[in-house]
Coordinates of all heavy atoms in Angstrom, one line a residue:
A554 N 4.0 35.2 -53.0 CA 4.5 34.8 -51.7 C 4.2 36.0 -50.7 O 4.0 37.1 -51.1 CB 6.0 34.6 -51.8
M555 N 4.2 35.6 -49.4 CA 3.9 36.6 -48.4 C 4.9 37.8 -48.3 O 4.4 38.9 -48.1 CB 3.9 35.9 -47.0 CG 3.4 36.8 -45.9 SD 1.8 37.4 -46.3 CE 0.9 36.6 -45.0
I556 N 6.1 37.5 -48.6 CA 7.1 38.6 -48.5 C 6.8 39.7 -49.6 O 7.0 40.9 -49.4 CB 8.6 38.1 -48.6 CG1 9.5 39.2 -48.3 CG2 8.9 37.5 -50.0 CD1 10.9 38.8 -48.0
T557 N 6.3 39.2 -50.8 CA 6.0 40.2 -51.9 C 4.8 41.0 -51.5 O 4.8 42.2 -51.8 CB 5.8 39.4 -53.2 OG1 6.9 38.6 -53.4 CG2 5.5 40.3 -54.3
I558 N 3.8 40.4 -50.9 CA 2.6 41.1 -50.4 C 3.0 42.2 -49.4 O 2.6 43.3 -49.5 CB 1.6 40.2 -49.9 CG1 1.0 39.3 -51.0 CG2 0.4 41.0 -49.2 CD1 0.2 38.2 -50.6
L559 N 3.9 41.8 -48.4 CA 4.3 42.7 -47.4 C 5.1 43.9 -48.1 O 5.0 45.0 -47.7 CB 5.2 42.0 -46.4 CG 4.4 41.1 -45.4 CD1 5.4 40.3 -44.5 CD2 3.4 41.9 -44.6
A560 N 6.0 43.5 -49.0 CA 6.8 44.6 -49.7 C 5.8 45.5 -50.4 O 6.1 46.8 -50.4 CB 7.7 43.9 -50.7
L561 N 4.8 45.1 -51.1 CA 3.9 46.0 -51.8 C 3.1 46.8 -50.8 O 2.9 48.0 -51.1 CB 2.9 45.1 -52.6 CG 3.5 44.5 -53.9 CD1 2.5 43.6 -54.5 CD2 4.0 45.5 -54.8
I562 N 2.7 46.3 -49.7 CA 2.1 47.1 -48.6 C 3.0 48.2 -48.1 O 2.6 49.4 -48.0 CB 1.6 46.2 -47.5 CG1 0.4 45.3 -48.0 CG2 1.1 47.0 -46.3 CD1 0.0 44.2 -47.0
L563 N 4.2 47.8 -47.9 CA 5.2 48.9 -47.4 C 5.4 49.9 -48.5 O 5.6 51.1 -48.2 CB 6.5 48.2 -47.0 CG 6.5 47.4 -45.7 CD1 7.8 46.6 -45.6 CD2 6.4 48.4 -44.6
L564 N 5.5 49.5 -49.8 CA 5.6 50.5 -50.8 C 4.4 51.5 -50.9 O 4.6 52.7 -51.1 CB 5.8 49.8 -52.2 CG 7.2 49.2 -52.4 CD1 7.2 48.5 -53.7 CD2 8.3 50.2 -52.3
I565 N 3.2 50.9 -50.7 CA 2.1 51.8 -50.7 C 2.1 52.8 -49.6 O 1.8 54.0 -49.7 CB 0.8 50.9 -50.7 CG1 0.6 50.2 -52.0 CG2 -0.5 51.8 -50.4 CD1 -0.4 49.1 -52.0
V566 N 2.5 52.3 -48.4 CA 2.6 53.2 -47.2 C 3.6 54.3 -47.5 O 3.4 55.4 -47.2 CB 2.9 52.4 -45.9 CG1 3.3 53.3 -44.8 CG2 1.8 51.5 -45.5
G567 N 4.8 53.9 -48.0 CA 5.8 54.8 -48.4 C 5.3 55.9 -49.4 O 5.6 57.1 -49.3
A568 N 4.6 55.4 -50.4 CA 4.1 56.3 -51.4 C 3.1 57.3 -50.9 O 3.1 58.4 -51.2 CB 3.5 55.5 -52.6
L569 N 2.2 56.8 -50.0 CA 1.2 57.7 -49.4 C 1.9 58.7 -48.5 O 1.5 59.9 -48.4 CB 0.2 56.9 -48.6 CG -0.7 56.0 -49.5 CD1 -1.6 55.2 -48.6 CD2 -1.6 56.9 -50.4
N570 N 3.0 58.3 -47.8 CA 3.7 59.3 -47.0 C 4.3 60.3 -47.9 O 4.3 61.5 -47.6 CB 4.8 58.5 -46.2 CG 5.5 59.5 -45.2 OD1 4.9 60.1 -44.4 ND2 6.8 59.5 -45.3
W571 N 4.9 59.9 -49.0 CA 5.5 60.9 -49.9 C 4.5 61.8 -50.5 O 4.7 63.0 -50.8 CB 6.3 60.3 -51.0 CG 7.7 59.9 -50.6 CD1 8.2 58.7 -50.4 CD2 8.7 60.8 -50.2 NE1 9.5 58.7 -49.9 CE2 9.9 60.1 -49.8 CE3 8.8 62.2 -50.2 CZ2 11.0 60.6 -49.4 CZ3 10.0 62.8 -49.8 CH2 11.1 62.0 -49.4
L572 N 3.3 61.3 -50.8 CA 2.2 62.1 -51.3 C 1.8 63.2 -50.3 O 1.6 64.3 -50.6 CB 1.0 61.2 -51.6 CG -0.3 61.9 -52.1 CD1 -0.1 62.5 -53.5 CD2 -1.5 61.0 -52.1
S573 N 1.7 62.8 -49.0 CA 1.4 63.7 -47.9 C 2.5 64.8 -47.8 O 2.2 65.9 -47.5 CB 1.1 63.0 -46.6 OG 2.2 62.5 -46.0
V574 N 3.7 64.4 -48.0 CA 4.8 65.3 -47.9 C 4.7 66.3 -49.1 O 4.9 67.5 -48.9 CB 6.2 64.6 -47.9 CG1 7.3 65.6 -48.1 CG2 6.4 63.8 -46.6
G575 N 4.5 65.8 -50.3 CA 4.4 66.7 -51.4 C 3.2 67.6 -51.5 O 3.4 68.8 -51.8
I576 N 2.1 67.1 -51.0 CA 0.9 68.0 -51.1 C 0.7 68.9 -49.8 O 0.4 70.0 -49.9 CB -0.4 67.1 -51.3 CG1 -0.3 66.5 -52.7 CG2 -1.6 67.9 -51.2 CD1 -1.4 65.5 -53.0
F577 N 0.9 68.2 -48.7 CA 0.6 68.9 -47.4 C 1.8 69.3 -46.6 O 1.7 69.9 -45.6 CB -0.3 68.1 -46.5 CG -1.6 67.6 -47.2 CD1 -1.7 66.2 -47.5 CD2 -2.6 68.5 -47.6 CE1 -2.9 65.8 -48.2 CE2 -3.7 68.0 -48.2 CZ -3.9 66.7 -48.5
D578 N 3.0 69.0 -47.1 CA 4.2 69.2 -46.3 C 4.1 68.6 -44.9 O 4.5 69.2 -43.9 CB 4.5 70.7 -46.3 CG 6.0 71.0 -45.8 OD1 6.8 70.1 -46.0 OD2 6.2 72.1 -45.3
F579 N 3.6 67.4 -44.9 CA 3.4 66.7 -43.6 C 4.0 65.3 -43.8 O 3.5 64.5 -44.6 CB 1.9 66.6 -43.3 CG 1.6 65.9 -42.0 CD1 1.9 66.4 -40.8 CD2 1.1 64.6 -42.0 CE1 1.7 65.7 -39.6 CE2 0.8 63.9 -40.9 CZ 1.1 64.5 -39.7
N580 N 5.0 65.0 -43.0 CA 5.6 63.7 -43.0 C 5.0 62.8 -41.9 O 5.3 63.0 -40.7 CB 7.1 63.8 -42.8 CG 7.8 62.5 -43.1 OD1 7.3 61.4 -42.8 ND2 9.0 62.6 -43.6
F581 N 4.1 61.9 -42.3 CA 3.4 61.1 -41.4 C 4.3 60.2 -40.5 O 4.1 60.0 -39.3 CB 2.4 60.2 -42.1 CG 1.4 59.5 -41.3 CD1 0.4 60.2 -40.6 CD2 1.5 58.1 -41.1 CE1 -0.5 59.5 -39.8 CE2 0.6 57.5 -40.2 CZ -0.4 58.2 -39.6
I582 N 5.4 59.7 -41.1 CA 6.3 58.8 -40.4 C 7.0 59.6 -39.3 O 7.2 59.1 -38.2 CB 7.3 58.2 -41.4 CG1 6.6 57.3 -42.4 CG2 8.3 57.3 -40.6 CD1 5.8 56.2 -41.9
N583 N 7.5 60.8 -39.6 CA 8.2 61.6 -38.6 C 7.2 62.1 -37.5 O 7.6 62.3 -36.4 CB 8.9 62.8 -39.3 CG 10.1 62.4 -40.0 OD1 10.6 61.3 -39.8 ND2 10.6 63.3 -40.8
W584 N 5.9 62.2 -37.9 CA 4.9 62.6 -36.9 C 4.7 61.4 -35.9 O 4.6 61.7 -34.7 CB 3.6 62.9 -37.6 CG 2.5 63.3 -36.7 CD1 2.4 64.4 -35.9 CD2 1.4 62.5 -36.4 NE1 1.2 64.4 -35.2 CE2 0.6 63.2 -35.5 CE3 0.9 61.3 -36.9 CZ2 -0.6 62.7 -35.0 CZ3 -0.3 60.8 -36.4 CH2 -1.1 61.5 -35.5
I585 N 4.7 60.2 -36.4 CA 4.5 59.0 -35.5 C 5.7 58.8 -34.6 O 5.6 58.7 -33.4 CB 4.3 57.7 -36.4 CG1 3.0 57.8 -37.1 CG2 4.4 56.5 -35.5 CD1 2.7 56.6 -38.0
F586 N 6.9 58.9 -35.2 CA 8.2 58.7 -34.5 C 8.7 60.1 -34.1 O 9.3 60.8 -35.0 CB 9.2 58.0 -35.3 CG 8.8 56.6 -35.6 CD1 8.3 56.2 -36.8 CD2 9.0 55.6 -34.6 CE1 7.9 54.9 -37.1 CE2 8.7 54.3 -34.9 CZ 8.1 53.9 -36.1
T587 N 8.5 60.6 -32.9 CA 8.9 61.9 -32.5 C 10.4 62.0 -32.5 O 11.1 61.0 -32.8 CB 8.4 62.2 -31.1 OG1 8.9 61.2 -30.2 CG2 6.8 62.1 -31.0
S588 N 10.9 63.1 -32.2 CA 12.4 63.3 -32.2 C 13.1 62.4 -31.3 O 14.3 62.0 -31.5 CB 12.7 64.8 -31.9 OG 12.2 65.1 -30.6
E589 N 12.4 61.9 -30.2 CA 13.1 61.0 -29.3 C 13.2 59.6 -29.9 O 14.1 58.8 -29.6 CB 12.3 60.8 -28.0 CG 12.3 62.1 -27.1 CD 11.1 63.0 -27.5 OE1 10.1 62.6 -28.1 OE2 11.3 64.2 -27.4
A590 N 12.3 59.3 -30.9 CA 12.3 58.0 -31.5 C 12.8 58.1 -33.0 O 12.3 57.4 -33.8 CB 10.9 57.4 -31.4
Y591 N 13.7 59.0 -33.2 CA 14.2 59.2 -34.6 C 14.8 57.9 -35.2 O 14.7 57.7 -36.4 CB 15.3 60.3 -34.5 CG 15.9 60.6 -35.8 CD1 15.2 61.2 -36.8 CD2 17.3 60.3 -36.1 CE1 15.8 61.5 -38.1 CE2 17.8 60.6 -37.3 CZ 17.1 61.2 -38.3 OH 17.6 61.5 -39.5
V592 N 15.4 57.1 -34.4 CA 16.0 55.8 -34.9 C 14.9 54.9 -35.4 O 15.0 54.3 -36.5 CB 16.7 55.1 -33.8 CG1 17.2 53.7 -34.2 CG2 17.9 55.9 -33.3
G593 N 13.7 54.9 -34.8 CA 12.6 54.1 -35.3 C 12.2 54.6 -36.7 O 11.9 53.7 -37.6
A594 N 12.1 55.9 -37.0 CA 11.8 56.4 -38.3 C 12.8 56.0 -39.3 O 12.5 55.5 -40.4 CB 11.6 57.9 -38.3
R595 N 14.1 56.0 -39.0 CA 15.1 55.6 -39.9 C 15.1 54.1 -40.2 O 15.3 53.7 -41.3 CB 16.5 56.0 -39.3 CG 16.7 57.5 -39.3 CD 18.0 57.9 -39.1 NE 18.9 57.4 -40.2 CZ 20.2 57.6 -40.3 NH1 20.8 58.4 -39.4 NH2 20.9 57.0 -41.2
I596 N 14.7 53.3 -39.2 CA 14.6 51.9 -39.4 C 13.4 51.6 -40.4 O 13.5 50.8 -41.3 CB 14.4 51.2 -38.1 CG1 15.7 51.2 -37.3 CG2 13.9 49.7 -38.3 CD1 15.6 50.7 -35.9
L597 N 12.3 52.4 -40.2 CA 11.1 52.2 -41.1 C 11.5 52.6 -42.5 O 11.1 52.0 -43.4 CB 9.9 52.9 -40.5 CG 8.6 52.7 -41.2 CD1 8.3 51.2 -41.2 CD2 7.5 53.5 -40.6
Y598 N 12.2 53.7 -42.6 CA 12.6 54.2 -44.0 C 13.5 53.1 -44.6 O 13.3 52.8 -45.8 CB 13.3 55.5 -43.9 CG 12.5 56.7 -43.6 CD1 12.8 57.6 -42.7 CD2 11.3 56.9 -44.3 CE1 12.0 58.7 -42.4 CE2 10.5 58.0 -44.1 CZ 10.9 58.9 -43.1 OH 10.1 60.0 -42.9
A599 N 14.4 52.5 -43.9 CA 15.2 51.5 -44.4 C 14.4 50.2 -44.8 O 14.7 49.6 -45.9 CB 16.3 51.1 -43.4
I600 N 13.4 49.9 -44.1 CA 12.6 48.7 -44.4 C 11.8 49.0 -45.7 O 11.7 48.1 -46.5 CB 11.7 48.4 -43.2 CG1 12.5 47.8 -42.1 CG2 10.6 47.4 -43.6 CD1 11.7 47.6 -40.8
V601 N 11.3 50.2 -45.8 CA 10.5 50.6 -47.0 C 11.5 50.6 -48.2 O 11.1 50.1 -49.3 CB 9.9 51.9 -46.9 CG1 9.3 52.4 -48.2 CG2 8.8 51.9 -45.8
G602 N 12.7 51.0 -48.0 CA 13.7 51.0 -49.1 C 14.0 49.5 -49.5 O 14.1 49.2 -50.7
L603 N 14.2 48.7 -48.6 CA 14.4 47.2 -48.9 C 13.2 46.6 -49.6 O 13.4 45.8 -50.5 CB 14.7 46.5 -47.6 CG 16.1 46.8 -47.0 CD1 16.2 46.1 -45.6 CD2 17.2 46.4 -47.9
A604 N 12.0 47.0 -49.2 CA 10.8 46.5 -49.9 C 10.8 47.0 -51.3 O 10.4 46.2 -52.2 CB 9.6 47.0 -49.2
G605 N 11.3 48.2 -51.6 CA 11.4 48.7 -53.0 C 12.4 47.9 -53.8 O 12.1 47.5 -54.9
I606 N 13.5 47.6 -53.2 CA 14.5 46.8 -53.9 C 14.0 45.4 -54.2 O 14.1 44.8 -55.3 CB 15.8 46.7 -53.1 CG1 16.5 48.1 -53.0 CG2 16.8 45.6 -53.6 CD1 17.6 48.2 -52.1
W607 N 13.3 44.8 -53.2 CA 12.7 43.5 -53.4 C 11.7 43.5 -54.5 O 11.7 42.6 -55.4 CB 12.0 43.0 -52.1 CG 11.2 41.7 -52.3 CD1 9.9 41.6 -52.6 CD2 11.8 40.4 -52.2 NE1 9.6 40.3 -52.7 CE2 10.7 39.5 -52.5 CE3 13.0 39.9 -51.9 CZ2 10.9 38.1 -52.5 CZ3 13.2 38.5 -51.9 CH2 12.1 37.6 -52.2
T608 N 10.8 44.5 -54.6 CA 9.8 44.6 -55.6 C 10.4 44.8 -57.0 O 10.0 44.2 -58.0 CB 8.9 45.7 -55.3 OG1 8.3 45.6 -54.0 CG2 7.7 45.8 -56.3
V609 N 11.5 45.6 -57.1 CA 12.2 45.7 -58.4 C 12.8 44.4 -58.8 O 12.6 44.0 -60.0 CB 13.3 46.8 -58.3 CG1 14.2 46.8 -59.5 CG2 12.7 48.2 -58.1
V610 N 13.4 43.7 -58.0 CA 14.0 42.4 -58.3 C 12.9 41.4 -58.7 O 13.0 40.7 -59.7 CB 14.9 41.8 -57.2 CG1 15.3 40.4 -57.4 CG2 16.1 42.7 -57.0
Y611 N 11.8 41.4 -57.9 CA 10.7 40.5 -58.2 C 10.1 40.8 -59.6 O 9.8 39.9 -60.4 CB 9.6 40.7 -57.1 CG 8.3 39.9 -57.3 CD1 8.3 38.6 -57.0 CD2 7.2 40.5 -57.9 CE1 7.1 37.9 -57.2 CE2 6.1 39.8 -58.1 CZ 6.0 38.5 -57.7 OH 4.9 37.8 -58.0
L612 N 9.9 42.1 -59.9 CA 9.3 42.4 -61.2 C 10.2 42.1 -62.4 O 9.8 41.6 -63.4 CB 9.0 43.9 -61.2 CG 7.8 44.4 -60.4 CD1 7.7 45.9 -60.4 CD2 6.5 43.7 -60.8
I613 N 11.5 42.3 -62.2 CA 12.5 42.0 -63.2 C 12.5 40.5 -63.4 O 12.5 40.0 -64.6 CB 13.9 42.6 -62.9 CG1 13.9 44.1 -63.1 CG2 15.0 41.9 -63.8 CD1 15.1 44.7 -62.6
Y614 N 12.6 39.7 -62.4 CA 12.7 38.3 -62.5 C 11.4 37.7 -63.1 O 11.5 36.9 -64.0 CB 12.9 37.7 -61.1 CG 12.8 36.2 -61.1 CD1 13.9 35.4 -61.6 CD2 11.7 35.5 -60.7 CE1 13.9 34.1 -61.7 CE2 11.6 34.1 -60.8 CZ 12.7 33.4 -61.3 OH 12.7 32.0 -61.3
N615 N 10.3 38.2 -62.8 CA 9.0 37.7 -63.3 C 8.8 38.1 -64.7 O 8.1 37.4 -65.5 CB 7.8 38.0 -62.4 CG 7.8 37.1 -61.2 OD1 8.0 35.9 -61.3 ND2 7.6 37.7 -60.1
K616 N 9.2 39.3 -65.1 CA 9.0 39.8 -66.5 C 9.9 39.1 -67.4 O 9.6 38.8 -68.6 CB 9.2 41.3 -66.5 CG 8.9 41.8 -67.9 CD 8.6 43.3 -67.9 CE 8.4 43.9 -69.3 NZ 7.2 43.5 -69.9
F617 N 11.2 38.9 -67.0 CA 12.2 38.3 -67.9 C 12.6 36.9 -67.6 O 13.6 36.5 -68.1 CB 13.4 39.2 -67.9 CG 13.1 40.7 -68.3 CD1 13.2 41.7 -67.4 CD2 12.7 40.9 -69.6 CE1 12.9 43.0 -67.8 CE2 12.4 42.2 -70.0 CZ 12.5 43.3 -69.1
S618 N 11.8 36.2 -66.8 CA 12.2 34.8 -66.5 C 12.0 33.9 -67.7 O 11.1 34.1 -68.5 CB 11.4 34.3 -65.3 OG 10.0 34.1 -65.7
P619 N 12.8 32.9 -67.9 CA 12.7 32.0 -69.0 C 11.3 31.3 -69.0 O 10.7 31.1 -70.1 CB 13.8 31.0 -68.8 CG 14.8 31.6 -67.9 CD 14.0 32.6 -67.1
K620 N 10.7 31.0 -67.9 CA 9.4 30.3 -67.9 C 8.4 31.2 -68.5 O 7.6 30.8 -69.3 CB 9.0 30.0 -66.4 CG 9.7 28.8 -65.8 CD 8.9 28.5 -64.6 CE 9.8 28.1 -63.5 NZ 9.2 27.9 -62.2
R621 N 8.4 32.5 -68.1 CA 7.4 33.5 -68.6 C 7.6 33.7 -70.1 O 6.7 33.7 -70.9 CB 7.5 34.8 -67.9 CG 6.5 35.8 -68.3 CD 6.6 37.0 -67.4 NE 5.8 38.1 -67.9 CZ 4.5 38.3 -67.8 NH1 3.8 37.4 -67.2 NH2 4.0 39.3 -68.3
I622 N 8.9 33.8 -70.6 CA 9.1 34.0 -72.0 C 8.7 32.8 -72.8 O 8.1 33.0 -73.9 CB 10.6 34.4 -72.2 CG1 10.9 35.7 -71.6 CG2 11.0 34.3 -73.7 CD1 12.4 36.1 -71.5
N623 N 9.0 31.6 -72.3 CA 8.6 30.4 -73.1 C 7.1 30.3 -73.1 O 6.5 29.9 -74.1 CB 9.2 29.2 -72.4 CG 10.7 29.1 -72.7 OD1 11.2 29.7 -73.6 ND2 11.4 28.4 -71.8
A624 N 6.4 30.7 -72.0 CA 5.0 30.6 -72.0 C 4.3 31.5 -73.0 O 3.4 31.2 -73.7 CB 4.4 30.9 -70.6
I625 N 4.9 32.7 -73.1 CA 4.4 33.7 -74.1 C 4.6 33.1 -75.5 O 3.8 33.2 -76.4 CB 5.1 35.0 -73.9 CG1 4.6 35.6 -72.6 CG2 4.8 36.0 -75.1 CD1 5.4 36.9 -72.2
E626 N 5.8 32.6 -75.8 CA 6.1 32.0 -77.1 C 5.2 30.9 -77.4 O 4.7 30.7 -78.6 CB 7.6 31.6 -77.2 CG 8.5 32.8 -77.2 CD 10.0 32.4 -77.1 OE1 10.3 31.2 -77.0 OE2 10.9 33.3 -77.2
K627 N 4.9 30.0 -76.5 CA 4.0 28.8 -76.7 C 2.6 29.3 -77.0 O 1.9 28.8 -77.8 CB 4.1 27.9 -75.5 CG 5.4 27.1 -75.4 CD 5.4 26.2 -74.2 CE 6.7 25.6 -74.0 NZ 6.8 24.8 -72.8
G628 N 2.2 30.4 -76.2 CA 0.9 30.9 -76.5 C 0.7 31.5 -77.8 O -0.3 31.3 -78.5
N629 N 1.8 32.2 -78.3 CA 1.7 32.8 -79.7 C 1.7 31.7 -80.7 O 1.1 31.8 -81.8 CB 2.9 33.7 -79.9 CG 2.8 35.0 -79.1 OD1 1.6 35.4 -78.8 ND2 3.9 35.7 -78.9
A630 N 2.5 30.6 -80.5 CA 2.5 29.5 -81.4 C 1.2 28.8 -81.5 O 0.7 28.4 -82.6 CB 3.6 28.4 -81.0
K631 N 0.4 28.7 -80.4 CA -0.9 28.1 -80.5 C -1.8 29.0 -81.3 O -2.7 28.5 -82.0 CB -1.4 27.9 -79.1 CG -0.8 26.8 -78.3 CD -1.3 26.6 -76.9 CE -0.6 25.6 -76.1 NZ -1.0 25.5 -74.8
R632 N -1.7 30.3 -81.1 CA -2.6 31.2 -81.9 C -2.3 31.2 -83.4 O -3.2 31.3 -84.2 CB -2.4 32.6 -81.4 CG -3.1 32.8 -80.0 CD -3.1 34.3 -79.6 NE -3.1 34.3 -78.2 CZ -2.3 34.9 -77.4 NH1 -1.3 35.6 -78.0 NH2 -2.4 34.9 -76.1
E633 N -1.0 31.0 -83.7 CA -0.6 31.0 -85.1 C -1.2 29.7 -85.8 O -1.5 29.8 -87.0 CB 0.9 31.0 -85.3 CG 1.5 32.4 -84.9 CD 3.0 32.3 -84.9 OE1 3.6 31.3 -85.2 OE2 3.6 33.4 -84.5
H634 N -1.3 28.6 -85.1 CA -1.7 27.4 -85.7 C -3.3 27.3 -85.8 O -3.8 26.5 -86.5 CB -1.2 26.2 -85.0 CG 0.3 26.0 -85.1 ND1 0.9 25.9 -86.3 CD2 1.2 26.0 -84.1 CE1 2.2 25.8 -86.1 NE2 2.5 25.8 -84.8
A635 N -3.9 28.2 -85.0 CA -5.4 28.1 -85.0 C -6.0 28.7 -86.2 O -5.5 29.4 -87.0 CB -5.9 28.8 -83.7

């Protein structure tokens, strides 16, 4: 779904920002949003955090969903009979 793709893009942007903070001690988001636009940076951080929560829920749901578990079990049953 489109929301999942957007969430992954936001996570990548957030991860690259943390990489630049860790290696270069440069926060790209704070550089874009100057001290006058501090609220904008906080909003962006909140959106990236929500994208992380969405992705965790998405991964848990898809990894442990009954459809996926049944599909795996059916696939193993077909291999056993072959």
Side-chain angles (χ1 to χ4, degrees):
M555 185 58 113
I556 191 166
T557 304
I558 293 170
L559 289 173
L561 290 173
I562 291 169
L563 285 169
L564 285 178
I565 291 168
V566 168
L569 291 174
N570 186 54
W571 278 112
L572 178 68
S573 70
V574 169
I576 294 176
F577 306 113
D578 194 25
F579 178 74
N580 191 327
F581 190 71
I582 302 300
N583 286 347
W584 178 71
I585 292 173
F586 295 99
T587 60
S588 59
E589 295 85 28
Y591 178 68
V592 174
R595 294 198 52 180
I596 290 170
L597 188 58
Y598 287 133
I600 292 171
V601 170
L603 289 172
I606 292 170
W607 174 268
T608 305
V609 168
V610 170
Y611 176 81
L612 290 174
I613 289 171
Y614 175 77
N615 283 314
K616 181 159 178 75
F617 301 113
S618 71
K620 283 192 220 177
R621 182 172 167 83
I622 292 171
N623 290 335
I625 292 171
E626 291 173 356
K627 288 178 186 176
N629 288 339
K631 288 180 185 176
R632 287 188 205 124
E633 290 173 0
H634 294 302

